[in-house]
Amino acid sequence: VFRESISAEIRLFDTAEVYGRGRSESYLGRFLAAYADEVGETRQPVYIASKFAPFPWRLSRKSLLKALNNSLKRLGVERVDLYQMHMQLPPIAIETWMEAMTEAVQSGKIDAVGISNYDRSQMQRAYEVLSQEGALLASNQVEYHLLNRAIETNGLLKHCSDLGVTVIAYSPLAMGILSGKYTVENPPSGPRGRRYSRRFLAQTEPLITLLKKVGAAHAGKTAAQVAINWTICKGTLPIPGAKTIDQIEQNVGVVGWSLTDEEVALLDETSDRVLFGEK
């Protein structure tokens, strides 16, 4: 899957120290090393984004720098392109963490600073501290898809645009719900099933039907490809997951075309009906 991603021009990989308790970074490090050995100087650049978790027992700036060094070791690299705060937790203030991020930038171990799951006020605080230190806030990674448009209604999406902060949209398929593979008769299990009930799946049927209809009008694109393309049309950078070659091929099919303004508006309206009922 990693090799297929590279050959398909997908070269940004998002990970975190907490994913698999470091195993995600370790696997990615092994893949990067194997790729370098296989293709040598002809290799395409690979961009790595990872995250720091501000657990309550991490009580100083040094804990971020230590965690970063551990991530670099697992990844087998000297620097990462984007290092993100995974979330904001007490007791350490946002300002302290941003000062640590600035130090990491100045050390050359990260190229850009990002945040994740920050609301508007938290993002503004991070932005201001970084600006004072001569650094920039590159991104805010949040959940965003047709079944969760909170960043539109709470103003975060516009605020990011105003500040020049890229929105990285995680879970752009709503844990697979927007792919159309789950139905009332075939609901998801585990965490997906607890979050998306049969009743909610029934409510989403008009949206799934529309996704398939719009996809058919674009040379047979799938519902999943339309759903992810919608997030791109909204000005965000989606990061769909992939565990199989087929999923990589699906992701590749998202680019090279675009929904029309009318299609985006229709998807918005249908999404509103699913989320808020008839208007």
Side-chain angles (χ1 to χ4, degrees):
V1 169
F2 178 83
R3 290 192 187 97
E4 187 69 20
S5 297
I6 298 296
S7 63
E9 299 292 323
I10 296 177
R11 301 199 301 274
L12 169 64
F13 295 86
D14 179 82
T15 184
E17 62 172 345
V18 299
Y19 295 165
R21 297 183 179 180
R23 291 175 65 198
S24 174
E25 290 178 327
S26 296
Y27 279 135
L28 185 53
R30 286 165 51 190
F31 301 156
L32 289 167
Y35 172 62
D37 289 342
E38 289 172 5
V39 300
E41 295 301 320
T42 63
R43 66 180 181 272
Q44 295 292 315
V46 177
Y47 303 99
I48 304 299
S50 194
K51 306 181 193 72
F52 167 77
F55 297 124
W57 54 85
R58 288 176 161 172
L59 299 174
S60 71
R61 292 168 52 177
K62 291 182 179 179
S63 60
L64 182 146
L65 302 175
K66 180 179 179 180
L68 172 58
N69 286 332
N70 289 335
S71 288
L72 294 176
K73 183 177 180 180
R74 286 189 290 268
L75 289 163
V77 297
E78 296 182 353
R79 44 161 287 283
V80 291
D81 299 280
L82 178 65
Y83 199 49
Q84 306 156 94
M85 294 296 301
H86 211 144
M87 72 288 285
Q88 175 56 26
L89 296 172
I92 304 303
I94 290 171
E95 288 75 12
T96 299
W97 292 133
M98 291 304 107
E99 290 168 359
M101 282 287 198
T102 301
E103 186 175 343
V105 171
Q106 293 170 345
S107 72
K109 293 182 178 180
I110 67 175
D111 279 354
V113 178
I115 53 179
S116 181
N117 301 304
Y118 273 39
D119 62 26
R120 288 182 62 185
S121 62
Q122 291 169 337
M123 180 177 70
Q124 184 65 38
R125 287 168 61 186
Y127 179 87
E128 290 174 358
V129 173
L130 291 170
S131 297
Q132 292 168 5
E133 297 292 334
L136 295 175
L137 179 61
S139 61
N140 190 357
Q141 183 176 148
V142 294
E143 182 176 355
Y144 182 55
H145 47 75
L146 278 160
L147 296 177
N148 184 343
R149 295 167 58 196
I151 64 172
E152 293 181 31
T153 56
N154 64 22
L156 180 61
L157 183 61
K158 184 179 185 303
H159 198 175
C160 285
S161 177
D162 292 342
L163 295 180
V165 174
T166 296
V167 173
I168 300 177
Y170 71 76
S171 193
L173 291 177
M175 304 176 78
I177 301 300
L178 292 171
S179 69
K181 67 179 179 179
Y182 297 117
T183 63
V184 174
E185 295 75 23
N186 179 39
S189 59
R192 289 180 174 86
R194 290 190 291 272
R195 182 170 182 180
Y196 298 108
S197 65
R198 280 187 169 88
R199 180 179 179 182
F200 187 78
L201 288 174
Q203 292 177 231
T204 65
E205 287 180 356
L207 178 59
I208 302 301
T209 298
L210 178 59
L211 287 169
K212 293 177 179 178
K213 180 179 179 181
V214 172
H218 286 272
K221 296 299 182 182
T222 65
Q225 289 169 334
V226 174
I228 299 174
N229 192 278
W230 174 88
T231 68
I232 297 174
C233 291
K234 292 288 187 172
T236 74
L237 173 65
I239 49 171
K243 295 181 180 179
T244 67
I245 298 297
D246 179 66
Q247 289 173 332
I248 289 295
E249 293 173 348
Q250 286 284 317
N251 292 345
V252 172
V254 169
V255 298
W257 62 284
S258 182
L259 296 169
T260 66
D261 292 342
E262 291 76 14
E263 289 168 336
V264 170
L266 184 57
L267 286 166
D268 285 354
E269 293 169 7
T270 307
S271 166
D272 284 342
R273 288 197 293 273
V274 170
L275 295 174
F276 307 115
E278 294 292 340
K279 292 185 177 181

